[in-house]
Amino acid sequence: MKKYMIFGLGFLFSALTFAQELEATVEKDTTQLDEVILIGQRKLSNYRQEKTLSSIDEYLEKSNKVTMIKRGNYAWEPSLNNMDSQRLVVTIDGMQIFGACTDKMDPITSYVDVSNLEQVSIDSGQEGTENGHCVGGGINLQMPQSKFNGSGLKSSVDLGYETNGNYKIAGLELEYVGNKFYVNADGIFRKSDNYDAGGNKEVLYSQFQKYNVSLQGGYKLAENHVLDANVIYDKATDVGYPALPMDVSLAEALITSLTHTYKNDSTTIKSWESKLYYNTITHIMDDSKRPDVPIRMDMPGWSDTYGFYTKATLKENKHNILLNLNGFYNRSLAEMTMYPNDPNQPAMFMYTWPDIRTLYTGIYAKDAFALSQDKTVSASARVGYHQNTVAEEVGLESLQIFYPDMDDSKSRFLMSLSADYKVKKDSYDATFGLGYGERAPSVSEGYGFFLFNSFDNFDYIGDPNLNNEKALEANLAANYYANQLKIGFETSYFYLTDYIIGEVDPSLSAMTIGANGVKVYQALSHASIFDFYVNATYNISEAFSLNGTLGYNYGKGSNDENLPFIKPFSYLAEINYTRNFFNAALQLDGNGNQTNYSSYYGENETAAFAILNLNLGNVFYIKSNKMVLKYGVENILDTNYSTYSDWNNIPRQGRNFYMNVSFVIN
């Protein structure tokens, strides 16, 4: 009963608070995507994107600080500031959603598509804590805002084809917009066979198939009050993971929400938005299509989340304030059944996530104060209550083998603080920020039971008594503008204490056949992560421009070992030609040799690589209708390569010709 009282009190308290977020949306190109990536799928306004039908994963990879950990050709795991998903808060329109796979084969980004979204907000470090606690940053996949412009009925059709993997894409959208009511329905289907690496080498088990459908509707209750309802259904089947010993027969999600929004530019309270949501995920791993396995296994997982948030913005004199009160209740359950080759032997069953119930309630506040017309200082804070409970008695007893004094529940208080100073002049702008943040251990880190990690070939066991992981951070960014030249840099440094990572326990025996042993999640006393990027743009003429990016990253733990998945030296150079109805870009993308790899955590050295890409686009108008054509070739030289973020060194795609066509019919 106390849990539901917390949610109820949260709504009551939010009725007394108002807020605003000061957010700058910057026009983006293919090399500089600082905070907001414009998807533009519905409007097709940003036709310079290489593909209008790119996956969310491909869009995210355009940001400097985001890299994607690839275990196959589908469902890449986002990493921000060289920190993977458990150190981030990834949300869909502010909604908390948690994957149902113990092997991270279903990151949150895999359960939406470009047709669902309008933009993606990426916030580094403690700037990303509006929707939850993190140490690395936040990624919010934002759905379109409601609209009532009376434009009537319109539709769009999207078709795409890529030669590598015989990859087919088809999408359809129907929309009606009135003065008081709107409804939007869309669907997209993707299907790929195995792709080929450079040199026409087929990568087995890299196929996938998925479809995504969504329905969004809204009604204007009054001049300043709108009620919206959203439903997204996403289903992927026959998904291969060439870097892992198992594939996925089903990854299915239902995401629903109901939102009330108040907006009024003429009052102190500029907006007030409240949302109730529910989502459920089913994920089933199986190895039935693998020809030779030591023992057959089924590994299903489930995740259900109920949640709310209410946030408001307010502007008073020089203050821009945002308050966000949110909470959620999540159930995560995963199990494993092993079937011996001998039919006379009984099947073996265990819980890998023993039905973990997580309750969270927290509040976020941010104030951006304008010192002058060109100087702003901001401060933000988030505090929250976090509780885990083990609901499955058998799973609890299994963990108590290793932790005899373990209780069935664990409560934590979490805190995040940040401040920054911004100055913006005609010829330059600069930002300096400081932050402190905490996060609770993930379900796997706290309660995982013999989770096999094929990257280092160890089984992992969680530790429910881990301390909160903490991070101190400093960041600095600046841009200089001179005639046709723009040059800038951004850098950040994170000092993490109680850094959670697996450490070998030689006293334990592995459950997985062929595993090197068992690691238990423990905490290093500290770890350091540093990154530095330089970006430059030069407009040669109205039609031609040059873009370039250089990046350097570093990470090391208190045990003097390199941290895993730290990006090596990277570079990107691009020449663009842009006219009103045509654009073209030739791009060189590469990484240096990964010399600071972490053999201690299972990494090996990744060789340097460089690839060439060519992308082109046209826009055609036929009366009031519009067609966007995107086409090109990726990896022109058919280079065979892997990057540091490719799990177990699976090779990337070789040469790939593609074409995307989108029609908007008014």
Side-chain angles (χ1 to χ4, degrees):
M1 189 66 182
K2 288 182 179 179
K3 296 176 180 177
Y4 299 103
M5 288 179 64
I6 291 172
F7 281 90
L9 289 171
F11 272 111
L12 181 61
F13 180 75
S14 68
L16 305 175
T17 59
F18 313 102
Q20 176 171 22
E21 177 179 26
L22 187 65
E23 182 181 81
T25 300
V26 185
E27 183 179 350
K28 299 300 183 291
D29 58 40
T30 51
T31 60
Q32 291 173 286
L33 297 165
D34 300 326
E35 291 185 353
V36 179
I37 299 178
L38 301 178
I39 296 296
Q41 168 69 4
R42 295 169 183 267
K43 302 174 187 175
L44 295 173
S45 57
N46 188 8
Y47 72 94
R48 285 199 62 234
Q49 290 285 1
E50 285 94 332
K51 304 174 188 176
T52 52
L53 295 176
S54 289
S55 67
I56 295 299
D57 299 336
E58 291 173 301
Y59 277 111
L60 285 172
E61 252 190 339
K62 302 300 176 186
S63 175
N64 274 344
K65 296 191 173 188
V66 174
T67 54
M68 307 300 289
I69 299 172
K70 300 178 178 64
R71 297 169 173 87
N73 198 26
Y74 177 76
W76 306 342
E77 179 191 358
S79 169
L80 177 58
N81 289 315
N82 297 286
M83 293 181 246
D84 53 8
S85 56
Q86 70 262 27
R87 293 184 166 91
L88 311 179
V89 55
V90 182
T91 51
I92 298 175
D93 218 36
M95 298 182 288
Q96 296 283 347
I97 301 179
F98 300 91
C101 176
T102 57
D103 286 4
K104 298 185 179 181
M105 298 159 80
D106 70 332
I108 304 311
T109 48
S110 68
Y111 289 117
V112 289
D113 215 303
V114 291
S115 59
N116 308 140
L117 307 175
E118 188 169 60
Q119 66 184 32
V120 179
S121 294
I122 301 171
D123 295 292
S124 177
Q126 295 312 300
E127 285 296 309
T129 57
E130 180 191 336
N131 298 307
H133 292 276
C134 62
V135 293
I139 299 174
N140 187 30
L141 310 167
Q142 296 178 243
M143 292 188 285
Q145 299 291 314
S146 54
K147 48 191 172 183
F148 304 96
N149 54 21
S151 57
L153 182 66
K154 71 175 183 178
S155 61
S156 67
V157 178
D158 304 300
L159 297 171
Y161 181 74
E162 301 186 16
T163 58
N164 198 328
N166 190 30
Y167 183 19
K168 299 174 283 287
I169 312 165
L172 176 65
E173 178 188 7
L174 297 172
E175 181 179 69
Y176 173 79
V177 179
N179 294 318
K180 282 203 158 187
F181 171 77
Y182 82 94
V183 62
N184 180 286
D186 64 66
I188 193 165
F189 175 79
R190 299 176 183 269
K191 180 177 174 61
S192 176
D193 300 332
N194 292 334
Y195 71 82
D196 290 335
N200 295 318
K201 297 178 180 178
E202 183 181 8
V203 179
L204 297 176
Y205 313 113
S206 59
Q207 81 289 340
F208 71 89
Q209 175 177 297
K210 79 165 281 182
Y211 65 85
N212 177 287
V213 294
S214 68
L215 181 65
Q216 179 181 15
Y219 182 75
K220 185 181 285 188
L221 302 171
E223 183 59 31
N224 300 312
H225 295 268
V226 173
L227 192 65
D228 291 284
N230 287 274
V231 178
I232 297 173
Y233 178 72
D234 189 279
K235 183 177 181 179
T237 57
D238 188 26
V239 184
Y241 288 85
L244 302 176
M246 299 189 74
D247 300 312
V248 169
S249 59
L250 176 67
E252 184 179 40
L254 177 65
I255 303 165
T256 65
S257 66
L258 182 66
T259 309
H260 172 264
T261 305
Y262 166 83
K263 290 185 178 180
N264 193 335
D265 289 334
S266 62
T267 60
T268 300
I269 305 167
K270 300 302 179 185
S271 68
W272 187 2
E273 178 182 317
S274 298
K275 185 190 296 285
L276 289 170
Y277 62 87
Y278 165 72
N279 54 75
T280 180
I281 292 174
T282 299
H283 188 273
I284 300 176
M285 287 188 280
D286 75 75
D287 54 11
S288 59
K289 294 188 177 181
R290 298 295 176 104
D292 298 305
V293 294
I295 187 169
R296 295 285 179 185
M297 290 187 291
D298 288 332
M299 296 182 66
W302 301 269
S303 174
D304 302 318
T305 307
Y306 305 81
F308 78 93
Y309 71 74
T310 182
K311 64 179 180 180
T313 61
L314 127 93
K315 186 171 184 178
E316 182 67 28
N317 297 323
K318 296 183 178 182
H319 292 273
N320 290 273
I321 302 170
L322 166 67
L323 296 181
N324 186 340
L325 178 71
N326 65 336
F328 67 85
Y329 180 73
N330 171 260
R331 170 182 179 261
S332 291
L333 172 67
E335 57 189 43
M336 177 171 66
T337 303
M338 294 174 283
Y339 302 95
N341 295 325
D342 184 351
N344 297 318
Q345 298 261 342
M348 294 174 283
F349 173 88
M350 69 179 185
Y351 290 103
T352 50
W353 283 347
D355 198 356
I356 306 302
R357 311 294 177 92
T358 302
L359 174 71
Y360 174 83
T361 305
I363 187 167
Y364 172 86
K366 179 178 180 180
D367 183 8
F369 179 74
L371 297 172
S372 63
Q373 188 173 358
D374 53 17
K375 297 182 180 67
T376 304
V377 62
S378 301
S380 67
R382 169 171 281 279
V383 293
Y385 170 78
H386 180 280
Q387 183 187 62
N388 289 130
T389 301
V390 184
E392 177 53 57
E393 186 67 27
V394 174
L396 175 62
E397 291 172 353
S398 298
L399 285 168
Q400 285 175 335
I401 296 172
F402 305 102
Y403 309 104
D405 298 328
M406 170 187 170
D407 294 326
D408 64 351
S409 66
K410 174 80 171 179
S411 297
R412 303 169 184 269
F413 288 94
L414 302 169
M415 178 182 295
S416 298
L417 302 167
S418 70
D420 64 64
Y421 173 78
K422 298 180 181 179
V423 57
K424 185 173 179 62
K425 301 284 188 180
D426 291 337
S427 60
Y428 71 91
D429 61 69
T431 302
F432 173 69
L434 296 170
Y436 169 81
E438 301 173 348
R439 73 167 182 101
S442 67
V443 171
S444 290
E445 291 169 336
Y447 302 93
F449 192 72
F450 285 99
L451 307 179
F452 179 64
N453 184 330
S454 64
F455 186 77
D456 60 7
N457 205 45
F458 278 84
D459 284 336
Y460 277 67
I461 294 174
D463 182 352
N465 300 314
L466 286 168
N467 293 327
N468 297 336
E469 189 175 89
K470 310 163 190 71
L472 285 168
E473 66 169 284
N475 55 79
L476 177 65
N479 294 289
Y480 174 72
Y481 311 87
N483 297 322
Q484 303 304 313
L485 174 68
K486 175 188 175 183
I487 186 167
F489 76 89
E490 55 180 327
T491 183
S492 58
Y493 174 76
F494 294 84
Y495 183 84
L496 299 105
T497 56
D498 293 314
Y499 183 84
I500 301 171
I501 200 163
E503 295 290 335
V504 176
D505 188 334
S507 67
L508 302 177
S509 299
M511 179 79 69
T512 303
I513 297 174
N516 294 336
V518 176
K519 287 186 177 181
V520 177
Y521 280 109
Q522 297 178 7
L524 298 179
S525 63
H526 65 268
S528 298
I529 297 176
F530 171 78
D531 63 67
F532 181 84
Y533 290 91
V534 177
N535 303 289
T537 300
Y538 181 71
N539 296 318
I540 302 171
S541 65
E542 289 187 0
F544 286 96
S545 65
L546 297 172
N547 298 316
T549 299
L550 296 174
Y552 172 78
N553 299 264
Y554 173 86
K556 184 162 283 192
S558 56
N559 56 1
D560 206 33
E561 297 287 347
N562 294 319
L563 298 179
F565 291 108
I566 302 297
K567 189 175 185 178
F569 173 76
S570 61
Y571 57 90
L572 185 146
E574 183 181 63
I575 182 168
N576 296 286
Y577 175 79
T578 306
R579 303 307 291 164
N580 289 335
F581 304 109
F582 174 75
N583 72 278
L586 181 65
Q587 186 182 84
L588 173 68
D589 186 9
N591 282 0
N593 188 48
Q594 187 192 13
T595 55
N596 294 324
Y597 63 95
S598 176
S599 56
Y600 184 80
Y601 294 112
E603 278 189 321
N604 54 23
E605 187 173 2
T606 304
F609 73 89
I611 59 170
L612 278 173
N613 304 314
L614 174 67
N615 62 81
L616 307 102
N618 296 87
V619 178
F620 303 96
Y621 289 93
I622 306 171
K623 295 183 179 180
S624 61
N625 303 320
K626 179 180 180 181
M627 182 178 80
V628 176
L629 177 65
K630 299 296 300 183
Y631 51 100
V633 55
E634 298 168 318
N635 195 356
I636 295 171
L637 302 179
D638 199 32
T639 302
N640 190 301
Y641 72 104
S642 293
T643 78
Y644 81 103
S645 62
D646 295 318
W647 199 267
N648 287 332
N649 302 120
I650 58 167
R652 294 283 186 101
Q653 281 194 348
R655 186 183 296 114
N656 179 40
F657 294 91
Y658 68 88
M659 179 177 288
N660 290 176
V661 184
S662 297
F663 304 90
V664 177
I665 304 168
N666 292 311

